[in-house]
Amino acid sequence: MAASFQETDFNPDAYGVLSNMEYGGLNFATIMKELNDNSNDAGATAVDIHLIPTTDTKVLTQVNVLDNGQGMTPTILFNACRMASQTSHAIGDIGKFGMGMKNATMALGNYITIFTKVAGTAGIAIVLDVETMKQESTFRPTQYTENAADLASTIPKELWNTFVSYGSGTLVSVRNLKPAFVVNVASVAKDLWRTLGMAYSQPLRALTSIHNGPVTSTLSLKVLPMDIFYRTKVDKLRYCAETTLRVYRDPDGLRVLEVLTGRRTLGASVNNAILWSAGTLMSPKAY
Protein backbone atom coordinates (compact mmCIF):
# COMPACT_ATOMS: atom_id res chain seq x y z
CA MET A 1 0.00 0.00 0.00
CA ALA A 2 1.42 3.39 -0.99
CA ALA A 3 2.37 5.78 1.78
CA SER A 4 -0.05 8.63 2.39
CA PHE A 5 1.40 12.12 2.06
CA GLN A 6 -0.91 13.43 4.77
CA GLU A 7 -0.07 10.61 7.20
CA THR A 8 3.69 10.48 6.68
CA ASP A 9 5.74 11.94 9.55
CA PHE A 10 8.46 14.20 8.15
CA ASN A 11 9.82 15.17 11.55
CA PRO A 12 13.46 14.19 12.15
CA ASP A 13 14.17 10.83 13.72
CA ALA A 14 15.82 11.67 17.03
CA TYR A 15 17.75 8.41 17.26
CA GLY A 16 19.17 8.79 13.77
CA VAL A 17 20.11 12.45 14.14
CA LEU A 18 21.73 11.95 17.55
CA SER A 19 23.65 8.94 16.26
CA ASN A 20 24.97 10.93 13.29
CA MET A 21 25.97 13.86 15.50
CA GLU A 22 28.21 11.51 17.47
CA TYR A 23 30.27 10.88 14.36
CA GLY A 24 30.42 14.31 12.77
CA GLY A 25 34.12 14.04 11.97
CA LEU A 26 35.11 16.87 14.32
CA ASN A 27 38.60 16.72 15.79
CA PHE A 28 39.42 17.87 19.31
CA ALA A 29 40.75 21.30 18.32
CA THR A 30 37.66 22.06 16.22
CA ILE A 31 35.38 21.09 19.09
CA MET A 32 37.23 23.25 21.59
CA LYS A 33 37.38 26.21 19.20
CA GLU A 34 33.60 26.04 18.86
CA LEU A 35 33.13 26.18 22.64
CA ASN A 36 35.74 28.94 22.95
CA ASP A 37 33.97 30.97 20.26
CA ASN A 38 30.67 30.61 22.14
CA SER A 39 32.29 32.00 25.29
CA ASN A 40 33.62 34.97 23.34
CA ASP A 41 30.19 35.60 21.86
CA ALA A 42 28.85 35.65 25.44
CA GLY A 43 31.17 38.55 26.25
CA ALA A 44 33.58 36.58 28.44
CA THR A 45 36.94 38.07 29.34
CA ALA A 46 38.32 34.75 30.58
CA VAL A 47 37.86 31.21 29.26
CA ASP A 48 39.44 28.30 31.10
CA ILE A 49 39.64 24.90 29.43
CA HIS A 50 40.21 22.22 32.07
CA LEU A 51 41.34 18.85 30.76
CA ILE A 52 40.78 16.36 33.58
CA PRO A 53 43.02 13.27 33.52
CA THR A 54 42.58 9.90 35.17
CA THR A 55 44.71 9.57 38.31
CA ASP A 56 46.50 6.46 37.07
CA THR A 57 47.08 6.58 33.31
CA LYS A 58 46.81 10.39 32.91
CA VAL A 59 44.48 10.09 29.92
CA LEU A 60 41.63 12.49 29.29
CA THR A 61 38.45 11.58 31.17
CA GLN A 62 36.49 14.86 31.37
CA VAL A 63 36.55 18.23 29.58
CA ASN A 64 35.29 21.44 31.19
CA VAL A 65 35.05 24.88 29.57
CA LEU A 66 34.38 27.66 32.08
CA ASP A 67 33.82 31.33 31.23
CA ASN A 68 32.78 34.53 32.97
CA GLY A 69 30.45 35.67 30.20
CA GLN A 70 26.91 36.95 30.59
CA GLY A 71 25.44 33.49 31.16
CA MET A 72 22.06 32.22 29.98
CA THR A 73 18.51 32.59 31.22
CA PRO A 74 16.35 29.43 31.14
CA THR A 75 14.85 30.49 27.79
CA ILE A 76 18.25 31.06 26.20
CA LEU A 77 19.57 27.79 27.66
CA PHE A 78 16.61 25.83 26.29
CA ASN A 79 17.13 27.39 22.86
CA ALA A 80 20.82 26.49 23.03
CA CYS A 81 19.81 22.85 23.59
CA ARG A 82 17.11 22.85 20.91
CA MET A 83 18.03 21.39 17.54
CA ALA A 84 18.48 24.07 14.85
CA SER A 85 16.76 26.75 16.90
CA GLN A 86 16.35 30.22 15.45
CA THR A 87 18.64 32.57 17.32
CA SER A 88 19.64 36.19 16.88
CA HIS A 89 23.29 37.20 16.78
CA ALA A 90 25.05 40.51 17.10
CA ILE A 91 27.38 41.82 14.42
CA GLY A 92 30.80 40.34 15.08
CA ASP A 93 29.50 37.19 16.77
CA ILE A 94 31.33 34.08 15.68
CA GLY A 95 28.45 31.61 16.02
CA LYS A 96 25.52 31.96 13.59
CA PHE A 97 23.57 28.75 13.07
CA GLY A 98 22.54 27.42 16.47
CA MET A 99 24.08 23.96 16.07
CA GLY A 100 27.71 24.48 17.08
CA MET A 101 27.54 23.69 20.79
CA LYS A 102 25.39 20.61 20.30
CA ASN A 103 27.54 19.28 17.46
CA ALA A 104 30.73 19.93 19.41
CA THR A 105 29.70 18.49 22.75
CA MET A 106 27.98 15.42 21.33
CA ALA A 107 30.96 14.68 19.09
CA LEU A 108 33.17 14.85 22.20
CA GLY A 109 31.21 12.75 24.68
CA ASN A 110 27.91 11.17 25.67
CA TYR A 111 27.18 12.97 28.94
CA ILE A 112 26.94 16.76 28.85
CA THR A 113 26.15 19.05 31.76
CA ILE A 114 25.75 22.80 31.30
CA PHE A 115 25.83 25.11 34.31
CA THR A 116 24.98 28.75 33.70
CA LYS A 117 23.92 31.88 35.54
CA VAL A 118 23.16 35.48 34.76
CA ALA A 119 23.98 38.31 37.14
CA GLY A 120 21.99 38.19 40.35
CA THR A 121 21.11 34.47 40.19
CA ALA A 122 22.52 31.32 41.79
CA GLY A 123 22.55 29.36 38.54
CA ILE A 124 20.65 26.70 36.64
CA ALA A 125 21.84 23.48 35.02
CA ILE A 126 20.79 21.03 32.33
CA VAL A 127 21.93 17.51 31.41
CA LEU A 128 22.06 15.85 28.01
CA ASP A 129 22.63 12.12 28.44
CA VAL A 130 22.95 11.25 24.77
CA GLU A 131 22.55 7.49 25.20
CA THR A 132 19.32 7.94 27.17
CA MET A 133 18.03 10.47 24.63
CA LYS A 134 18.72 8.00 21.82
CA GLN A 135 16.95 5.16 23.61
CA GLU A 136 13.93 7.37 24.20
CA SER A 137 14.18 8.81 20.65
CA THR A 138 13.90 12.37 21.89
CA PHE A 139 15.81 15.63 21.62
CA ARG A 140 14.57 16.67 25.07
CA PRO A 141 17.43 17.05 27.57
CA THR A 142 17.55 14.39 30.26
CA GLN A 143 17.38 16.66 33.31
CA TYR A 144 16.92 20.30 34.21
CA THR A 145 17.23 21.99 37.57
CA GLU A 146 16.74 25.58 38.71
CA ASN A 147 19.35 24.94 41.40
CA ALA A 148 22.71 24.30 39.74
CA ALA A 149 24.11 23.05 43.06
CA ASP A 150 22.06 19.87 42.59
CA LEU A 151 24.57 18.75 39.94
CA ALA A 152 27.75 20.16 41.50
CA SER A 153 28.99 16.66 42.36
CA THR A 154 29.46 15.86 38.65
CA ILE A 155 32.43 18.24 38.30
CA PRO A 156 35.63 18.83 40.31
CA LYS A 157 34.90 20.93 43.42
CA GLU A 158 37.54 23.48 42.38
CA LEU A 159 35.61 24.25 39.20
CA TRP A 160 32.34 24.48 41.07
CA ASN A 161 33.85 26.96 43.53
CA THR A 162 35.14 29.11 40.67
CA PHE A 163 31.76 29.03 38.91
CA VAL A 164 30.05 30.09 42.15
CA SER A 165 32.51 32.97 42.58
CA TYR A 166 31.65 34.47 39.18
CA GLY A 167 28.91 37.05 38.99
CA SER A 168 27.76 35.39 35.75
CA GLY A 169 29.10 32.73 33.42
CA THR A 170 28.76 29.28 31.92
CA LEU A 171 30.45 25.95 32.54
CA VAL A 172 30.16 23.21 29.92
CA SER A 173 31.23 19.79 31.21
CA VAL A 174 31.55 16.71 28.99
CA ARG A 175 32.08 13.17 30.33
CA ASN A 176 31.92 9.66 28.88
CA LEU A 177 34.28 10.78 26.14
CA LYS A 178 34.46 9.07 22.77
CA PRO A 179 37.36 6.58 22.54
CA ALA A 180 39.21 8.79 20.03
CA PHE A 181 39.61 11.48 22.72
CA VAL A 182 40.79 9.24 25.55
CA VAL A 183 44.43 10.22 25.05
CA ASN A 184 47.33 11.56 27.10
CA VAL A 185 46.30 14.90 28.60
CA ALA A 186 49.72 16.60 28.47
CA SER A 187 50.04 15.81 24.77
CA VAL A 188 46.55 16.93 23.80
CA ALA A 189 46.96 20.15 25.83
CA LYS A 190 50.06 21.15 23.85
CA ASP A 191 48.45 20.29 20.53
CA LEU A 192 45.33 22.27 21.46
CA TRP A 193 47.39 25.27 22.60
CA ARG A 194 49.31 25.31 19.31
CA THR A 195 46.22 24.84 17.13
CA LEU A 196 44.09 27.45 18.88
CA GLY A 197 46.95 29.95 18.67
CA MET A 198 47.12 29.50 14.92
CA ALA A 199 43.33 29.61 14.54
CA TYR A 200 43.04 33.27 15.47
CA SER A 201 44.79 36.12 13.68
CA GLN A 202 44.05 38.66 16.39
CA PRO A 203 43.23 38.64 20.12
CA LEU A 204 39.64 37.82 21.03
CA ARG A 205 37.60 39.30 23.85
CA ALA A 206 38.60 36.56 26.23
CA LEU A 207 41.97 35.32 27.39
CA THR A 208 41.85 31.55 26.91
CA SER A 209 43.89 29.25 29.15
CA ILE A 210 44.35 25.49 28.98
CA HIS A 211 44.84 23.58 32.22
CA ASN A 212 46.04 20.05 32.90
CA GLY A 213 43.60 19.36 35.73
CA PRO A 214 40.97 21.35 37.68
CA VAL A 215 43.25 24.19 38.81
CA THR A 216 45.84 26.57 37.39
CA SER A 217 49.34 25.13 37.58
CA THR A 218 52.81 25.42 36.09
CA LEU A 219 51.52 23.23 33.25
CA SER A 220 48.79 25.74 32.32
CA LEU A 221 49.08 27.33 28.88
CA LYS A 222 47.77 30.71 27.74
CA VAL A 223 46.54 30.83 24.15
CA LEU A 224 48.17 33.69 22.25
CA PRO A 225 47.09 34.30 18.63
CA MET A 226 50.02 33.74 16.26
CA ASP A 227 50.04 36.28 13.45
CA ILE A 228 52.29 34.07 11.33
CA PHE A 229 51.45 35.86 8.07
CA TYR A 230 51.58 39.41 9.51
CA ARG A 231 47.90 39.96 8.82
CA THR A 232 47.47 42.43 11.66
CA LYS A 233 51.05 43.68 12.10
CA VAL A 234 52.07 44.55 8.57
CA ASP A 235 54.78 46.93 9.83
CA LYS A 236 56.74 43.93 11.08
CA LEU A 237 57.45 43.09 7.46
CA ARG A 238 59.96 45.94 7.41
CA TYR A 239 62.27 43.85 9.53
CA CYS A 240 61.99 40.56 7.65
CA ALA A 241 64.03 39.03 4.86
CA GLU A 242 62.74 37.63 1.61
CA THR A 243 61.97 34.01 2.35
CA THR A 244 60.85 30.78 0.80
CA LEU A 245 58.64 28.52 2.89
CA ARG A 246 59.04 24.80 2.25
CA VAL A 247 56.47 22.45 3.73
CA TYR A 248 57.36 18.81 4.28
CA ARG A 249 56.61 15.85 6.51
CA ASP A 250 58.99 14.03 8.80
CA PRO A 251 58.49 11.48 11.61
CA ASP A 252 57.37 14.29 13.94
CA GLY A 253 54.63 15.49 11.57
CA LEU A 254 54.16 18.46 9.26
CA ARG A 255 56.99 21.02 9.35
CA VAL A 256 57.71 24.34 7.70
CA LEU A 257 61.27 25.29 6.76
CA GLU A 258 61.91 29.01 6.26
CA VAL A 259 64.80 29.60 3.87
CA LEU A 260 66.11 33.16 3.96
CA THR A 261 67.02 34.26 0.45
CA GLY A 262 67.90 37.94 0.71
CA ARG A 263 67.29 41.31 2.33
CA ARG A 264 64.06 43.13 1.55
CA THR A 265 64.36 46.48 -0.19
CA LEU A 266 61.54 47.68 2.04
CA GLY A 267 63.66 46.77 5.05
CA ALA A 268 66.52 49.15 4.29
CA SER A 269 66.26 50.90 7.65
CA VAL A 270 68.68 51.39 10.50
CA ASN A 271 67.22 48.47 12.40
CA ASN A 272 67.27 46.29 9.33
CA ALA A 273 70.83 47.24 8.47
CA ILE A 274 71.93 46.15 11.91
CA LEU A 275 69.96 42.96 11.67
CA TRP A 276 71.58 42.09 8.32
CA SER A 277 75.01 43.63 8.80
CA ALA A 278 78.04 42.20 6.97
CA GLY A 279 75.78 41.17 4.10
CA THR A 280 75.34 37.61 5.40
CA LEU A 281 72.17 35.57 5.73
CA MET A 282 70.96 34.04 8.94
CA SER A 283 70.58 30.27 9.19
CA PRO A 284 67.29 28.76 7.99
CA LYS A 285 64.73 28.23 10.72
CA ALA A 286 62.23 25.40 11.09
CA TYR A 287 58.96 25.78 13.02
Side-chain angles (χ1 to χ4, degrees):
M1 182 177 181
S4 167
F5 179 79
Q6 287 76 16
E7 295 176 359
T8 298
D9 181 7
F10 287 97
N11 289 322
D13 168 48
Y15 182 90
V17 172
L18 291 171
S19 296
N20 288 331
M21 289 178 70
E22 291 185 62
Y23 303 99
L26 300 181
N27 59 36
F28 189 72
T30 301
I31 292 170
M32 301 314 297
K33 182 178 183 300
E34 176 63 41
L35 299 179
N36 189 59
D37 289 348
N38 287 346
S39 294
N40 276 271
D41 283 346
T45 58
V47 181
D48 289 281
I49 300 172
H50 290 271
L51 308 176
I52 311 300
T54 56
T55 56
D56 51 354
T57 59
K58 304 300 180 183
V59 297
L60 193 59
T61 185
Q62 184 179 140
V63 176
N64 298 275
V65 181
L66 172 64
D67 71 54
N68 64 350
Q70 63 189 8
M72 292 180 277
T73 64
T75 298
I76 295 174
L77 176 61
F78 299 158
N79 280 335
C81 294
R82 181 176 289 122
M83 294 296 160
S85 61
Q86 183 175 359
T87 55
S88 59
H89 295 276
I91 295 175
D93 280 358
I94 304 171
K96 299 293 183 186
F97 304 109
M99 287 295 290
M101 185 193 71
K102 294 175 283 290
N103 273 335
T105 53
M106 290 183 184
L108 180 58
N110 287 321
Y111 199 94
I112 303 139
T113 308
I114 303 171
F115 302 85
T116 189
K117 63 177 180 177
V118 297
T121 68
I124 56 179
I126 203 165
V127 175
L128 293 86
D129 182 341
V130 179
E131 288 303 318
T132 298
M133 293 165 66
K134 284 166 58 178
Q135 291 171 11
E136 297 178 357
S137 192
T138 180
F139 292 121
R140 179 177 292 277
T142 315
Q143 181 182 354
Y144 168 72
T145 176
E146 294 184 347
N147 181 15
D150 293 341
L151 298 175
S153 62
T154 64
I155 58 174
K157 63 181 180 180
E158 297 91 344
L159 292 182
W160 172 252
N161 291 337
T162 303
F163 174 75
V164 170
S165 71
Y166 285 165
S168 61
T170 297
L171 170 57
V172 178
S173 178
V174 184
R175 295 184 291 157
N176 293 1
L177 304 183
K178 303 298 169 57
F181 303 118
V182 182
V183 295
N184 178 266
V185 167
S187 176
V188 76
K190 283 190 176 181
D191 287 343
L192 179 61
W193 171 75
R194 187 180 301 110
T195 305
L196 286 183
M198 295 182 68
Y200 301 108
S201 63
Q202 57 188 5
L204 297 174
R205 298 186 184 104
L207 174 63
T208 301
S209 300
I210 302 169
H211 309 282
N212 186 336
V215 296
T216 301
S217 72
T218 56
L219 299 176
S220 297
L221 302 167
K222 295 186 183 300
V223 175
L224 300 174
M226 302 177 189
D227 191 13
I228 59 176
F229 295 111
Y230 300 99
R231 287 173 288 191
T232 61
K233 298 179 180 178
V234 179
D235 286 346
K236 295 295 183 182
L237 284 171
R238 291 181 176 273
Y239 311 112
C240 291
E242 295 288 358
T243 64
T244 298
L245 297 182
R246 298 175 182 171
V247 181
Y248 67 97
R249 290 185 180 277
D250 67 11
D252 294 325
L254 190 68
R255 295 179 65 81
V256 177
L257 180 70
E258 180 184 16
V259 181
L260 308 180
T261 56
R263 191 171 73 178
R264 295 177 59 86
T265 303
L266 181 63
S269 65
V270 173
N271 288 337
N272 189 254
I274 294 173
L275 190 63
W276 297 99
S277 61
T280 60
L281 299 178
M282 297 175 67
S283 300
K285 295 181 178 180
Y287 300 93

